[in-house]
Amino acid sequence: MKAENNESLDLLSVFLTGIPGLEAQHGWLSIPFFTMYVVAIVGNSLIMATVQADPALHEPMYLFLSMLAGTEVGVSVSTLPTVMGILWFDARRVDLDGCLAQMFFIHTFSCMESGVLLAMSYDRFVAVYNPLRYTAILTLPRIVCIGLVITLKSVILRAPLPVLLRSLPYCHTNILSHSYCLHSDLIQLPCADTKLNSILGLAIALAIFGLDALLIVVSYMLILYRVLGIASGEGRWKALNTCVSHICAVLVYYVPLIGVSVMHRTAKHASPLAHTLMSSIYLFVPPVLNPIIYSVKTKPIQQGIITLFSCKRE
């Protein structure tokens, strides 16, 4: 029996779903989706190239921003093949191993994004509380170490999920409800007990996103307490203004995440289109908006981009 299960598993494929109710418009819908991918990948790659090329941007704040851009490129590249494959070619069939790999990369890069946002809140905390020792505290080796910890934590915590799902038997129609593979979808397919997978997935999500969000809130409460103690109004505004871009990035990331979580647990009978739209907003909006936010709100990034293009023309 075990051999038969393994054999059927090796031959198993899953079928992705496009945008429910709008299948006839997939050709037209591919235009905005492809545009978002181009903006996300090119915009975030441009930020990474700008930070790398400009020595003036080799400061903790911009190095963390480069990490954030890297994670968002990873999220976009992870979903691009299946999403555009469905919209352009109606290619819905994916083998199980490929689907599990995509699930791993999507969730891992999302975890890394949350970890980098937490690191950026710590960066703002140090900048406000101890500006004179800012660069002495956040040295390049420490920043690299923080990046490695975020990466290892995300990989280690997410790796068990595809391994556990791979070991389960699949014996009925395997149709997913999105254009990409997510753990919440895949966990409904096996014909064995998935309680352990569900508990483990929820515990990992709470350990990563819940703890990161809590620490970000605590960081900004301490920052606000410090800022309110500054005597001059100009000094308070200057201190808060350095945090505006990061606050926007946190809201752009966590508001859709909370929306997806609430809908998944309390609105299970909502239309499939509503679930698809919320998941798409969570995965697509942060990579698209964050490079725009930082390019508009951060003058050194603006100047670095101009300098980068000026050097290429010369």
Side-chain angles (χ1 to χ4, degrees):
M1 179 65 69
K2 184 175 181 180
E4 291 176 1
N5 282 340
N6 287 336
E7 184 180 355
S8 64
L9 185 60
D10 291 336
L11 299 174
L12 181 68
S13 296
V14 296
F15 294 87
L16 303 173
T17 303
I19 301 176
L22 299 174
E23 288 84 358
Q25 285 76 41
H26 276 182
W28 290 106
L29 290 171
S30 68
I31 297 173
F33 274 90
F34 184 69
T35 302
M36 285 191 291
Y37 276 121
V38 170
V39 172
I41 294 172
V42 173
N44 285 292
S45 298
L46 183 59
I47 285 181
M48 289 190 290
T50 301
V51 172
Q52 183 180 9
D54 191 347
L57 297 178
H58 292 176
E59 296 182 4
M61 174 182 175
Y62 304 112
L63 294 175
F64 284 126
L65 174 58
S66 182
M67 288 185 195
L68 181 65
T71 63
E72 289 174 342
V73 169
V75 171
S76 298
V77 171
S78 297
T79 60
L80 187 151
T82 54
V83 172
M84 297 313 301
I86 288 175
L87 296 178
W88 277 344
F89 310 111
D90 198 32
R92 301 172 183 273
R93 184 172 179 173
V94 182
D95 68 271
L96 180 65
D97 288 334
C99 193
L100 290 172
Q102 185 186 51
M103 181 200 80
F104 171 75
F105 284 114
I106 290 174
H107 289 305
T108 299
F109 281 118
S110 295
C111 293
M112 289 171 64
E113 189 173 357
S114 177
V116 173
L117 287 171
L118 173 59
M120 293 173 79
S121 71
Y122 175 68
D123 165 80
R124 294 299 83 206
F125 170 79
V126 174
V128 170
Y129 258 78
N130 207 337
L132 297 179
R133 298 192 64 243
Y134 173 58
T135 54
I137 294 173
L138 289 172
T139 60
L140 181 59
R142 286 179 181 172
I143 293 171
V144 172
C145 183
I146 290 172
L148 289 174
V149 169
I150 292 171
T151 302
L152 289 174
K153 179 193 76 171
S154 302
V155 171
I156 291 171
L157 289 178
R158 284 301 184 181
L161 298 181
V163 173
L164 288 174
L165 284 173
R166 185 65 174 81
S167 64
L168 295 174
Y170 295 76
C171 51
H172 54 76
T173 304
N174 300 297
I175 301 176
L176 302 182
S177 58
H178 295 90
S179 304
Y180 34 78
C181 302
L182 298 176
H183 183 258
S184 57
D185 262 358
L186 283 166
I187 202 172
Q188 299 177 30
L189 301 185
C191 50
D193 184 14
T194 59
K195 186 177 293 184
L196 174 62
N197 300 67
S198 299
I199 294 173
L200 183 61
L202 180 60
I204 290 172
L206 290 174
I208 295 173
F209 300 114
L211 183 59
D212 287 353
L214 176 62
L215 293 175
I216 290 172
V217 170
V218 170
S219 296
Y220 272 101
M221 289 176 63
L222 294 173
I223 288 171
L224 185 60
Y225 176 78
R226 179 72 171 184
V227 168
L228 292 176
I230 299 175
S232 68
E234 183 181 354
R236 287 196 294 269
W237 170 249
K238 186 177 180 181
L240 282 175
N241 196 43
T242 62
C243 302
V244 170
S245 297
H246 179 252
I247 292 173
C248 291
V250 169
L251 292 176
V252 164
Y253 180 80
Y254 278 102
V255 170
L257 174 61
I258 293 170
V260 169
S261 301
V262 170
M263 178 168 281
H264 179 67
R265 286 167 177 79
T266 64
K268 293 183 178 180
H269 300 293
S271 69
L273 180 59
H275 285 279
T276 299
L277 286 176
M278 282 303 301
S279 297
S280 297
I281 289 171
Y282 165 60
L283 288 174
F284 293 124
V285 169
V288 170
L289 287 187
N290 281 338
I292 297 174
I293 290 170
Y294 277 96
S295 298
V296 171
K297 294 293 296 180
T298 312
K299 289 184 178 179
I301 292 293
Q302 295 176 11
Q303 189 59 45
I305 292 173
I306 293 171
T307 303
L308 181 66
F309 280 104
S310 298
C311 293
K312 286 185 177 181
R313 287 178 182 176
E314 294 175 1

